[in-house]
Amino acid sequence: MTSNIYYLCKDVDIISVIGMKKFLKTVVLLAVIFAAAGCVNINKLDISSIHVDSITPAGFRSLAGSASVTVDNRSVGFEVYDIGGIVKKDGMEFGSFAVAPIAVKARTKDSYTVSGQVYLSQSVSFLGMLSMFENVDIDDFTVDISLKVKAKGGAAQKFALKDVPARDVFNAVRSKGI
């Protein structure tokens, strides 16, 4: 998939593509972790792998992506939905993201496809964003995320976190061996 993105953006350094893959992995990991913390005994849930399957341009201001997430859920089934958030750079909105709902089966180890889109903020120019990835510093970024979690047979709970340092999220993703 990298070759398709590179072809569409010949003048873009490959580092910008790699940076976006790390961001998508981060979003997927956050969604699953928050789901686990909300309604499932976290000691009975293990995310054994996350692999980006595809990243494709969806116009000039967004990217669509999907990832495979392997989850060993030894607890009740649950659904995570209304997943979205904002990415900030130095406190200013850089972009937003939305992830499709995810339903995790009870007491199974299974692979799930997670898909979503990343949108560039109107205040950020596309060319400026591409050139920024050459000197990107992860410490300049934070993430706001919100989602709803509903355990099978239970009530839905809404979760929201503000200004989560991107470095913390990146380190959590890297600890999964991604």
Side-chain angles (χ1 to χ4, degrees):
M1 205 76 229
T2 303
S3 61
N4 289 345
I5 293 172
Y6 186 73
Y7 177 75
L8 291 172
C9 307
K10 289 180 184 176
D11 297 330
V12 177
D13 190 328
I14 195 68
I15 293 173
S16 64
V17 175
I18 293 168
M20 193 54 65
K21 282 185 179 183
K22 288 179 185 175
F23 173 74
L24 286 175
K25 289 177 185 178
T26 299
V27 169
V28 169
L29 182 65
L30 272 176
V32 175
I33 286 173
F34 292 136
C39 64
V40 178
N41 184 344
I42 193 94
N43 294 324
K44 295 185 176 185
L45 184 81
D46 182 42
I47 302 165
S48 56
S49 68
I50 302 172
H51 299 286
V52 174
D53 296 327
S54 68
I55 298 175
T56 56
F60 287 110
R61 301 194 68 79
S62 65
L63 292 173
S66 68
S68 297
V69 180
T70 302
V71 178
D72 185 2
N73 180 18
R74 296 177 300 272
S75 186
V76 298
F78 60 95
E79 182 180 5
V80 186
Y81 59 99
D82 290 346
I83 308 164
I86 296 172
V87 178
K88 298 177 191 171
K89 182 179 184 306
D90 296 324
M92 302 294 292
E93 186 175 327
F94 183 76
S96 61
F97 60 91
V99 179
I102 307 159
V104 177
K105 299 175 199 168
R107 291 172 283 291
T108 60
K109 181 176 183 177
D110 208 348
S111 182
Y112 300 91
T113 299
V114 179
S115 60
Q117 281 199 294
V118 178
Y119 307 94
L120 188 61
S121 174
Q122 292 295 326
S123 63
V124 178
S125 78
F126 182 73
L127 293 175
M129 179 202 66
L130 293 176
S131 65
M132 178 203 68
F133 278 109
E134 286 182 16
N135 299 318
V136 70
D137 183 357
I138 196 166
D139 292 324
D140 294 340
F141 289 88
T142 59
V143 179
D144 295 349
I145 187 169
S146 66
L147 53 92
K148 292 180 182 174
V149 179
K150 184 179 182 309
K152 185 174 182 176
Q157 291 182 312
K158 184 173 182 171
F159 296 90
L161 289 178
K162 300 268 186 212
D163 297 322
V164 178
R167 178 166 301 286
D168 294 350
V169 177
F170 178 71
N171 288 338
V173 170
R174 189 169 30 191
S175 73
K176 291 294 175 189
I178 302 165

